[in-house]
């Protein structure tokens, strides 16, 4: 078969999908809707994947470009003659394919398209219903997304649900003596390290994390914080730490490359996600695979993974820094139990979050169409 993977921008998620798709023996093509001007993913396209030059993929996507892109997408379809186009997010890439009249559309939800973008206005809701009603199959990463897709008109029999998964051989537990992150910081076994990998934007709630850390660190001097990435809230986060006199207990490494990322997970005693909206977060799965207990917002996507408090981690009230502070202090008090909790986390990743096991579910979506 000839299959086009059409996504908004080139990200680690696209690299993950394209790598496995190239191993299927089918002819795989990649179409990029926009270029945000910053490298979400700096690795080249996997071997065996053909990049499609077209009118898109040069700059940020704008709806005013829709007609031009639609015309050129129709040209791409005529020239490539794909058997399947798997496209997402729903209201952008997948919508263009639906508007082009291509019948074998497999819509891929990216989580935020159904959890967040759909609430931007009636136009977004209409675009969602239009796209799903013209999709031959649909793929989502959790039951929450599945239920939303059904609510907006997708045939339940044409939905395939599976977590996108982590590389559990790359992300795995390891001893502290092997960890360069803690060694470079001079953080021994006496400190307790919190890890955040989410973007510094309001959606991901990192301001709640900063507030909770300031309060908890004043009570527990052994607490340390690794905050990866960056974003528009950076000045505010840095100012909070400076004002509290805690800047020397926080490390801001910025954007970490994929080769170094496992070291940061293994440096942590507790992974924290303060996101206000999530499907199945890949960083959550990477933390679980690394054997790190997790502390997550109590939202539907996270409740599909943390079904029992204290087994692989904990949930705290979304948007409540006070409850997050109490949960951090509770985890510190449970320090002697974290090894066992980490083993449960690793087992959960092996059972449900292994990308090699989960990827074949995508082939089931192809079978629905073909």
């Amino acid at each position: 078969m000839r299959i086009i993977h059409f996504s908004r921008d080139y990200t680690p998620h696209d690299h993950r999908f394209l790598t496995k798709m190239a191993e299927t023996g089918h002819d795989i093509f990649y179409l990029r809707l926009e270029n945000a001007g910053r490298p979400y993913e700096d690795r080249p396209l996997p071997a065996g994947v053909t990049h499609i030059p077209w009118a898109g993929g040069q700059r940020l996507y704008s709806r005013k470009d829709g007609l031009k892109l639609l015309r050129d997408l129709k040209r791409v379809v005529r020239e490539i003659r794909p058997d399947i186009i798997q496209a997402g997010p729903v209201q952008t890439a997948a919508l263009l394919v639906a508007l082009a009249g291509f019948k074998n559309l497999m819509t891929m939800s990216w989580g935020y398209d159904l959890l967040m973008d759909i609430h931007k206005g009636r136009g977004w809701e209409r675009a969602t219903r239009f796209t799903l009603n013209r999709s031959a199959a649909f793929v989502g990463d959790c039951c929450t997304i599945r239920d939303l897709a059904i609510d907006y008109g997708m045939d339940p029999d044409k939905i395939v649900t599976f977590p996108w998964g982590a590389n559990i051989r790359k992300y795995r537990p390891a001893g502290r003596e092997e960890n360069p992150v803690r060694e470079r910081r001079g953080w021994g076994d006496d400190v307790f390290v919190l890890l955040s990998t989410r973007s510094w934007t309001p959606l991901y709630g990192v301001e709640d994390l900063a507030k909770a850390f300031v309060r908890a660190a004043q009570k527990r001097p052994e607490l340390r914080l690794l905050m990866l990435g960056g974003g528009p809230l950076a000045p505010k986060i840095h100012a909070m730490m400076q004002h509290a006199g805690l800047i020397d207990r926080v490390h801001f490494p910025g954007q970490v490359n994929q080769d170094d990322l496992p070291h940061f997970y293994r440096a942590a005693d507790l992974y924290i996600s303060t996101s206000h909206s999530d499907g199945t977060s890949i960083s959550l799965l990477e933390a679980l695979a690394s054997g790190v207990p997790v502390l997550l917002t109590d939202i539907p996507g996270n409740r599909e993974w943390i079904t029992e408090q204290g087994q692989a981690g904990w949930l705290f009230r979304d948007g409540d820094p006070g409850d997050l502070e109490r949960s951090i202090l509770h985890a510190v008090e449970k320090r002697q139990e974290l090894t066992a909790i980490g083993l449960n986390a690793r087992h959960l990743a092996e059972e449900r979050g292994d990308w090699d096991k989960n990827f074949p579910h995508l082939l089931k979506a192809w079978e629905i169409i073909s």
Side-chain angles (χ1 to χ4, degrees), residues 5 7 9-20 30 32 38-46 110 164-167 170-171 255-259 261 282-283 286 355:
H5 175 78
S7 69
D9 207 337
Y10 184 47
T11 70
H13 301 311
D14 296 295
H15 188 276
R16 180 181 297 113
F17 269 97
L18 290 167
T19 298
K20 298 298 288 186
Y30 176 56
R32 180 175 182 171
R38 60 184 182 275
Y40 289 104
E41 173 56 67
D42 54 10
R43 290 171 291 183
L45 286 176
W110 285 68
W164 289 4
N167 182 341
K170 176 180 178 180
Y171 295 95
Q255 198 70 35
V256 174
N257 67 54
Q258 292 293 316
D259 290 336
L261 191 53
I282 297 299
S283 58
E286 290 170 348
W355 180 228

Side-chain angles (χ1 to χ4, degrees), residues 174-185:
R176 289 279 185 253
E177 67 279 359
E178 302 174 23
N179 189 266
V181 176
R182 292 178 76 111
E183 290 175 3
R184 283 195 297 266
R185 304 301 301 172

Side-chain angles (χ1 to χ4, degrees), residues 64-309:
K64 67 182 180 182
D65 300 327
L67 287 177
K68 179 180 70 173
L69 295 181
L70 184 57
R71 286 194 298 268
D72 205 35
L73 178 59
K74 291 179 179 179
R75 173 193 61 81
V76 168
V77 171
R78 288 194 305 269
E79 293 180 0
I80 302 297
R81 300 176 63 187
D83 297 285
I84 296 172
I85 299 180
Q86 60 181 46
V90 174
Q91 304 94 349
T92 50
L95 173 62
L96 282 171
V97 178
L99 288 169
F102 185 77
K103 301 301 182 184
N104 289 348
L105 165 62
M106 191 199 83
T107 295
M108 295 181 66
S109 172
W110 285 68
Y112 61 81
D113 46 14
L114 294 185
L115 291 167
M116 302 292 292
D117 288 353
I118 200 168
H119 301 299
K120 291 180 178 179
R122 291 183 179 178
W124 288 81
E125 181 177 337
R126 287 195 297 268
T128 301
R129 292 188 183 277
F130 178 88
T131 302
L132 296 184
N133 285 332
R134 287 158 179 79
S135 297
F138 176 89
V139 167
D141 67 358
C142 65
C143 294
T144 301
I145 295 298
R146 173 187 170 83
D147 293 342
L148 286 170
I150 293 171
D151 288 344
Y152 285 97
M154 191 66 210
D155 182 345
D157 294 333
K158 296 180 179 178
I159 297 177
V160 175
T161 301
F162 67 96
W164 289 4
N167 182 341
I168 68 168
R169 278 144 293 284
K170 176 180 178 180
Y171 295 95
R172 65 187 191 282
R176 289 279 185 253
E177 67 279 359
E178 302 174 23
N179 189 266
V181 176
R182 292 178 76 111
E183 290 175 3
R184 283 195 297 266
R185 304 301 301 172
W187 292 350
D189 290 338
D190 56 326
V191 303
F192 191 97
V193 179
L194 312 177
L195 171 67
S196 170
T197 64
R198 312 311 296 269
S199 179
W200 298 17
T201 64
L203 172 63
Y204 292 106
V206 291
E207 191 175 347
D208 291 342
L209 172 59
K211 292 176 181 178
F213 177 75
V214 166
R215 297 171 185 172
Q218 290 169 347
K219 299 173 182 176
R220 301 300 298 245
E222 69 268 38
L223 281 175
R224 302 292 184 272
L225 175 61
L226 287 169
M227 286 192 73
L228 277 59
L233 291 176
K236 194 168 189 177
I237 299 296
H238 283 273
M240 289 173 65
M241 298 304 172
Q242 288 281 9
H243 181 74
L246 296 172
I247 197 70
D248 60 336
R249 290 163 62 179
V250 184
H251 181 38
F252 305 113
Q255 198 70 35
V256 174
N257 67 54
Q258 292 293 316
D259 290 336
D260 291 337
L261 191 53
H263 297 307
F264 285 86
Y265 283 107
R266 291 195 284 265
D269 295 286
L270 183 69
Y271 167 86
I272 299 178
S273 174
T274 47
S275 179
H276 302 308
S277 178
D278 255 329
T280 293
S281 163
I282 297 299
S283 58
L284 163 61
L285 300 186
E286 290 170 348
L288 294 173
S290 301
V292 182
V294 300
L295 178 55
L296 314 172
T297 45
D298 189 358
I299 57 178
N302 290 336
R303 287 197 291 269
E304 294 185 29
W305 291 91
I306 303 302
T307 57
E308 180 181 338
Q309 291 280 61

